[in-house]
Amino acid sequence: METSDVIVIGAGFAGLTAARELSRSGHATILLEAKDRIAGRTHLAERLGRNLELGGTWVHWTQPYVWAEMGRYGIKALPGPEFTKASWIVGGTRHEGTAESLMELLDGPNRLLLADSRRYFPMPWSPLENPGVADIDELTLSEAIDRLDLAEDERQLLRSFWTLNFNGRLDQAAYTQALRWCAVASGDWQLMFEACASFKIDGGTRALAEAMLADSTAELRLNQGVSSIGQDDEGVLVTTESGKQYAARQLIVALPLSVLNDIDIQPALSPGKREAAARGQAGRGAKLWVRVQGRQERFVAFGPETGALNFVQAEYIDHDTTTLVCFGPDAGAVDVEDAAAAQRHLDAIVPGLTVLDVAGHNWVADQHARSTWPMHYTGYLTRYLAELQRPEGRIRLAGSDVANGWGGFIDGAIESGLDAARQAASALGREARPPIAATAVVG
């Protein structure tokens, strides 16, 4: 059995942040990761002849935590491509124009939809400060859009736009999540959209994750899926699927919300935490990379919100091929290994392209994720957020799922990791005693 001051479960950006902060503060730290790699729901991998981000990607200067981390390690941001052509499907008809004309079509409807973002979230990093949030937290984004006085083609395009943002269906998606995103972008929807898809990390998400790990003295243990956690007045005991045990005085669980209930935690977490984990998040869609024949014009395309793929953009243009990144709201409708199916999906939104190969990762089917980026269901803020942030004994949760600010982004994960580390360090300081012995924890 290994003992330490603190154990961090999960080596995504929240776990890496927490482990670095605690270890650099002099606390013996063990970082457990179930997979054979770090970085969580980001994953830079070689596919289709280049390094592709199979998961989370985007960063922005309006996101203070990730931007500061990049500055800390001298990692630059790379601007995304500028698009010249756009298409969109409304009422079964495909339309074409410039990228600017598409943004103009989305501008008025988004301004109406998000007009109250700063009214409900005047302090965006304190999302529960305004009691009025409870009045709208059960309102779905679908209902909020349909209440607007919009022409039918505007309504359909707006719904597809937000289906992309949620990477899931709108009929259970929280309107408050859309308002939160806009609020942290100073109430400007175009700045919000820029933050979602404009800047990448030089060297990929892996470069930042590896820099953070290298700056830590935490002991990383890969391939250590956790099966159970026990805690008592003396400490915590973590048991892995292989039967290995780790003991500590404090524990941070930095896992995706949807997998939290897979671990046998005793005493059990509160009913609120377990209910939130059982419900999970609304981000249950697909991200698919597709390499097509020919050097294509730099384009973006919106399809119907119900399409297997409802958004496509030309990301990398080479001499005789183009690599597209595509999104759809239902992971079950997109096989990330089926090029023939991808051809059918593309034909429905951008006809005339010839698929050569595809790549991707099904995050919803991944036992260590079971969701894509965290986007809230209705009621999440007022029913669950404060409870998920509340420590239980020696256990604290961390991750983009429970962030105050940019929930759903790398930034939110780092924010949450910093908060959890600070609280754990404070608790360790109050105890002011050596690491626990193996015999001093529950069995």
Side-chain angles (χ1 to χ4, degrees):
M1 180 186 296
E2 293 189 57
T3 64
S4 63
D5 293 326
V6 61
I7 296 167
V8 179
I9 301 176
F13 277 98
L16 288 168
T17 300
R20 181 195 63 192
E21 295 299 298
L22 287 160
S23 66
R24 287 182 63 86
S25 297
H27 302 293
T29 305
I30 294 175
L31 177 59
L32 302 179
E33 170 55 53
K35 298 183 290 297
D36 61 358
R37 62 173 184 84
I38 62 171
R41 279 176 283 184
T42 67
H43 186 194
L44 185 74
E46 188 174 340
R47 299 287 193 277
L48 308 183
R50 64 173 67 246
N51 283 328
L52 297 177
E53 297 282 8
L54 303 184
T57 305
W58 304 101
V59 296
H60 196 266
W61 50 266
T62 57
Q63 298 172 343
Y65 295 94
V66 69
W67 210 255
E69 294 292 343
M70 292 165 63
R72 177 176 186 161
Y73 299 115
I75 297 174
K76 296 180 179 180
L78 299 177
E82 294 286 339
F83 300 100
T84 57
K85 180 181 177 181
S87 67
W88 55 97
I89 297 174
V90 291
T93 301
R94 185 170 182 270
H95 304 265
E96 290 189 355
T98 63
E100 290 77 12
S101 65
L102 175 61
M103 291 294 286
E104 288 172 4
L105 289 172
L106 286 165
D107 185 57
N110 268 308
R111 287 179 183 273
L112 286 173
L113 179 70
L114 303 171
D116 290 332
S117 63
R118 292 303 301 276
R119 179 165 78 88
Y120 283 107
F121 299 102
M123 295 287 290
W125 270 265
S126 301
L128 300 179
E129 188 169 282
N130 184 352
V133 170
D135 297 334
I136 62 168
D137 201 28
E138 298 295 336
L139 181 65
T140 70
L141 186 51
S142 179
E143 293 168 332
I145 291 174
D146 289 347
R147 288 180 180 184
L148 301 176
D149 184 17
L150 299 176
E152 181 59 19
D153 58 345
E154 292 177 317
R155 187 187 71 85
Q156 289 185 23
L157 182 58
L158 184 64
R159 290 183 66 93
S160 187
F161 174 81
W162 278 100
T163 295
L164 166 67
N165 289 339
F166 267 78
N167 201 219
R169 294 168 46 184
L170 302 186
D171 56 359
Q172 292 181 306
Y175 176 44
T176 49
Q177 178 73 350
L179 293 176
R180 283 182 73 196
W181 266 23
C182 189
V184 291
S186 302
D188 183 334
W189 86 266
Q190 291 197 27
L191 184 59
M192 175 202 77
F193 190 47
E194 181 179 290
C196 294
S198 294
F199 295 99
K200 300 178 184 179
I201 299 171
D202 189 9
T205 51
R206 185 170 60 203
L208 180 57
E210 289 178 344
M212 296 173 74
L213 179 63
D215 198 22
S216 169
T217 60
E219 296 290 334
L220 174 65
R221 302 286 186 267
L222 296 175
N223 301 302
Q224 296 293 305
V226 172
S227 61
S228 67
I229 297 169
Q231 71 163 318
D232 62 12
D233 291 341
E234 296 299 319
V236 294
L237 179 69
V238 175
T239 303
T240 70
E241 294 165 355
S242 65
K244 188 169 177 58
Q245 293 188 317
Y246 300 86
R249 290 154 54 194
Q250 291 288 320
L251 174 68
I252 294 173
V253 180
L255 298 176
L257 181 64
S258 296
V259 306
L260 183 62
N261 285 345
D262 292 349
I263 301 176
D264 178 20
I265 302 177
Q266 298 298 331
L269 296 179
S270 69
K273 288 185 177 69
R274 299 198 308 271
E275 181 180 303
R279 196 178 184 201
Q281 298 280 24
R284 299 184 58 79
K287 178 179 183 179
L288 180 69
W289 289 96
V290 181
R291 189 164 58 94
V292 299
Q293 194 173 72
R295 184 178 176 87
Q296 305 297 323
E297 186 175 353
R298 187 79 69 182
F299 72 86
V300 294
F302 277 98
E305 64 172 300
T306 56
L309 300 176
N310 80 301
F311 181 79
V312 178
Q313 73 179 32
E315 191 72 14
Y316 299 110
I317 299 177
D318 298 312
H319 176 68
D320 55 0
T321 64
T322 301
T323 303
L324 316 175
V325 62
C326 317
F327 295 89
D330 180 6
V334 178
D335 186 336
V336 295
E337 298 178 352
D338 190 338
Q343 183 70 68
R344 295 192 298 273
H345 301 330
L346 271 183
D347 288 344
I349 183 172
V350 189
L353 300 176
T354 300
V355 173
L356 300 175
D357 202 357
V358 297
H361 182 78
N362 188 330
W363 294 99
V364 178
D366 185 330
Q367 65 173 325
H368 302 305
R370 296 214 181 94
S371 63
T372 57
W373 57 90
M375 298 298 286
H376 305 330
Y377 287 122
T378 55
Y380 180 90
L381 280 183
T382 49
R383 278 191 252 165
Y384 304 127
L385 183 60
E387 175 58 27
L388 288 168
Q389 293 175 343
R390 183 182 67 83
E392 291 205 29
R394 298 172 180 276
I395 300 175
R396 290 166 176 79
L397 304 183
S400 191
D401 296 83
V402 297
N404 283 314
W406 283 99
F409 287 83
I410 297 169
D411 190 81
I414 295 171
E415 171 214 318
S416 180
L418 287 169
D419 286 345
R422 182 176 61 251
Q423 294 170 20
S426 177
L428 288 167
R430 289 195 299 270
E431 290 187 346
R433 59 186 176 88
I436 60 173
T439 56
V441 296
V442 292

